[in-house]
Amino acid sequence: MTTQAPNPDFAQLVPAAVLSMPAAAHLGFHFGRIEPGEVEIVQPHRPELTQHDGYFQGGVLGSLADFAAGSAAGTLLPIGWVNMTIDYTVKILAPAKGATVIARGRVIKPGSLLTIAAADVFSVEESGETLCATALVTMRNVRIATP
């Protein structure tokens, strides 16, 4: 997506806002690439985020998809606005057992009230990346301050 971010400080503000959330702090991910309408979140493997045999638990994959899609949507918000998830659907496609999981979020349709975004979640191993989950996310844009 080629678009102009209305907030020139989006690359600093979006990660700061997201990483201040207790759920994000618990997961322990960090941001990779951040561009207008596109975000990459990198989650290191941690035993407390897994289920059987060290596979990432499905809810963790869903959370990462939600954070990535919502963050991508956040890059296109004006100054003084935030967004909140109002709906998301995640489809688990394969087990995730790599040393890291990468969630790549992207905006599908920006809007003034609602933004539709998506995310693909990949398990990363030495042999390469495997698509593990995909999500469609609806975000509600909320004005919190007057610019």
Side-chain angles (χ1 to χ4, degrees):
M1 163 178 258
T2 304
T3 190
Q4 181 71 26
N7 186 338
D9 297 324
F10 74 91
Q12 294 79 37
L13 294 175
V14 169
V18 171
L19 295 175
S20 73
M21 296 180 197
H26 173 72
L27 290 171
F29 61 78
H30 63 273
F31 281 78
R33 194 171 68 83
I34 302 173
E35 299 292 336
E38 297 181 9
V39 164
E40 183 177 88
I41 287 176
V42 180
Q43 174 66 62
H45 186 277
R46 295 180 31 226
E48 63 271 27
L49 302 179
T50 64
Q51 57 183 7
H52 312 290
D53 299 324
Y55 290 100
F56 278 87
Q57 197 274 336
V60 172
L61 300 179
S63 293
L64 294 171
D66 181 30
F67 275 118
S71 296
T75 66
L76 300 182
L77 292 175
I79 296 169
W81 287 72
V82 296
N83 60 18
M84 293 176 250
T85 304
I86 59 171
D87 178 66
Y88 77 103
T89 301
V90 179
K91 300 298 181 187
I92 307 292
L93 306 172
K97 194 176 182 176
T100 58
V101 168
I102 297 176
R104 295 186 179 111
R106 66 193 178 284
V107 171
I108 294 176
K109 184 172 185 344
S112 59
L113 180 64
L114 299 176
T115 297
I116 309 302
D120 292 318
V121 182
F122 298 86
S123 177
V124 181
E125 300 179 79
E126 288 183 22
S127 59
E129 294 183 356
T130 301
L131 179 62
C132 295
T134 190
L136 188 63
V137 182
T138 304
M139 304 301 296
R140 168 70 161 89
N141 304 322
V142 179
R143 187 178 190 156
I144 60 168
T146 304

